[in-house]
Amino acid sequence: MSIAIDLTRLVAYSDHERAKWKSWVAADPARLATPFQNGGRFPTLGNLLDHIFLIEARHLSRLQGSALPESTGVTAGDWPALFAYADTVRANLSAFVVALDEQAANESITFKIPSGAFTLTRRKLTLHILLHEVRHLAQIAYAVRAAGYEPPGEHDVFFFPGF
């Protein structure tokens, strides 16, 4: 026997984690400039957060069959606009997840990303959106510690009251 994990609960966990980081950045917006990946695609935490939120929007667009956004359109360092963008995308993702039924969840979609073409079910791509963020937020927590900051709160599902 196995049990199903409700995607709405994973969205709630992700929302809970995202809110901690939003408050952490709001307390000191200069934290967006915390180094993350010197010489890499995401030199600062702000760049990585922008990536997280853009990828969510792009994958949601794939799930919905709509045009993919090329960027968040947010100026580096504008944390209120960055999190407002994230909130808008998340509201749309939440609505998608609530409306997703078994038949649609099992439908496959094919798309291309820089590393190749992929065929995934809508369920798997939706799960990927959420796990992509969780993975990157864990990386942010490590980078924050390495920079001498204390991350905001406990981050494991263990500490989330919604499960």
Side-chain angles (χ1 to χ4, degrees), residues 26-141:
D28 182 358
R31 291 172 170 168
L32 283 178
T34 301
F36 179 73
Q37 191 181 47
N38 292 331
R41 279 177 58 198
F42 313 115
T44 68
L45 295 186
N47 298 120
L48 184 56
L49 287 168
D50 187 87
H51 164 76
I52 292 167
F53 304 148
L54 175 61
I55 294 305
E56 182 169 317
R58 290 177 63 84
H59 285 325
L60 179 58
S61 293
R62 289 180 175 103
L63 288 165
Q64 296 172 325
S66 59
L68 304 181
E70 293 298 319
S71 73
T72 62
V74 176
T75 303
D78 186 353
W79 74 269
L82 182 62
F83 281 96
Y85 177 87
D87 290 345
T88 298
V89 174
R90 180 49 60 91
N92 293 333
L93 177 64
S94 294
F96 176 84
V97 167
V98 167
L100 187 64
D101 62 26
E102 278 297 318
Q103 182 177 348
N106 290 323
E107 291 173 357
S108 293
I109 58 173
T110 300
F111 56 91
K112 290 182 182 179
I113 61 173
S115 60
F118 291 86
T119 300
L120 304 175
T121 63
R122 292 180 192 284
R123 177 189 328 275
K124 185 173 182 177
L125 185 54
T126 304
L127 179 61
H128 170 74
I129 291 169
L130 298 166
L131 295 181
H132 174 261
E133 178 168 351
V134 169
R135 177 175 56 89
H136 279 316
L137 291 180
Q139 291 173 324
I140 289 174

Side-chain angles (χ1 to χ4, degrees), residues 24 31 34-35 140-151:
W24 185 83
R31 291 172 170 168
T34 301
I140 289 174
Y142 174 79
V144 162
R145 286 182 184 99
Y149 295 110
E150 185 66 29

Side-chain angles (χ1 to χ4, degrees), residues 2-23:
S2 67
I3 61 169
I5 303 236
D6 184 346
L7 287 174
T8 59
R9 289 184 187 218
L10 289 176
V11 170
Y13 167 67
S14 177
D15 288 345
H16 183 73
E17 289 303 303
R18 189 181 282 192
K20 291 176 192 176
W21 289 106
K22 181 178 181 179
S23 295

